[in-house]
Amino acid sequence: MKLNGIAHRSVEADPAAGCVRILDQTLLPWRTLWLELATLEDTLHAIATMQVRGAPLIGAVAAWGVALALRADASDAALERDAARLVATRPTAVNLRWAVERMGRVLRPLPPAARAAAAAAEAARIAEEDAAQCAAIGQAGAELIADLARRSGSRRSDGRVNVLTHCNAGWLATVDWGTALAPIYAAAAAGIDVHVWVDETRPRNQGASLTAFELAQQGIAHTVVADNAGGHLMQHGQVDIVIVGADRVTRRGDVANKIGTYLKALAAHDNAVPFWVAVPSSTIDWTLADGVAEIPIEERAGREVTHISGRDAGGEVREVQLTASPAANPAFDVTPARLVRGLITERGRCPATEAGLAALFGR
Ligand code: MRU
């Protein structure tokens, strides 16, 4: 996708320099700074501090982390130790475990001397596959938006389709295109008039700072709303479809995504607004069935709730304190499958059910 008019991926390898480059997402939307990750420690820091975030991107960057780690120590013991450290950085996004386990399966049978080169090749494959899968999700989801545009023509004079999304599931959260935003980009490229309601997504504001930023960069009409506005907009016919991403989907179709997603699904259900979840297959956890009972929910620092940063009138980015009270910060919630109209995957769309997923993925 484009950043200041130039095509970029959100993680870019530079084999000649021996590093991968990431866009520091903690500085957006105010500053675009590319950081070089050259070691495992750099990678752990980038994931833990959310310089990179979003389930598929975390997976892709973790795969590069394995490759960078092996340049320092390619022994069996180091491979297992470093993989475990990477997996521990963010517990909810299953793409992280998926990518690290895939690297391990490729690397374990190899002699240590062959591992670093093989790891770099496999990390590059994971990144390519993620970009291709997100492009396919875009096509599968754009059909839904095109269908709504046809029906919207008879319902509304402007013919516009209003999509509501939560958090950031765009190209910044993946290697390219995004998951929830990919259908929007594909629909806009096909000439459909799309407008996006962007939930600000407290406490870290990935909607206001990342989704709004990338939609603006791609020239997509959008409006940022407070997290609590979605239900009201739905009651007044201003949302045609909700599309969100996910950090983990169980084999029965329960969906873990950024905190607040469940409330949007409840409001969508009450207002008969279709609620779709866009995911690559790397986000499906076939080992889990009941999402509410089984998906681990990341607890982050209360400071993310008690403090907020923004730009002051002089252009300085500053952090201010909102409250002196203690705060809790569960970072994700689980939307039960019964509230999900369907899943949009690289293989097409399916009901959020065990049978639907099994049919699509041949399980
Ligand atoms: O805490 P984050 O910013 O990593 O959370 C991101 C989300 O919840 C996204 O919606 C999810 O990872 C899907 S990304 C395509």
Side-chain angles (χ1 to χ4, degrees), residues 50 53-56 90 167-169 173 179 206 246-247 257-258 332:
M50 294 178 65
R53 29 66 53 201
R90 302 233 26 218
C167 196
N168 172 260
T179 57
Q206 290 96 326
D247 289 80
N257 192 48
K258 182 52 57 189
F332 299 93

Side-chain angles (χ1 to χ4, degrees), residues 124-139:
R125 259 193 296 277
I126 286 175
E128 281 306 319
E129 283 174 23
D130 186 68
Q133 288 173 351
C134 287
I137 287 169
Q139 293 309 317

Side-chain angles (χ1 to χ4, degrees), residues 235-290:
Q235 283 176 326
H236 290 272
Q238 294 186 64
V239 180
D240 297 303
I241 185 171
V242 179
I243 312 180
V244 297
D247 289 80
R248 195 183 297 225
V249 173
T250 69
R251 66 172 181 273
R252 285 190 199 157
D254 293 342
V255 170
N257 192 48
K258 182 52 57 189
I259 192 77
T261 302
Y262 171 47
L263 292 178
K264 291 296 138 49
L266 284 171
H269 185 71
D270 197 41
N271 291 281
V273 172
F275 182 96
W276 285 84
V277 181
V279 283
S281 49
S282 51
T283 303
I284 302 166
D285 186 342
W286 300 98
T287 70
L288 300 188
D290 179 341

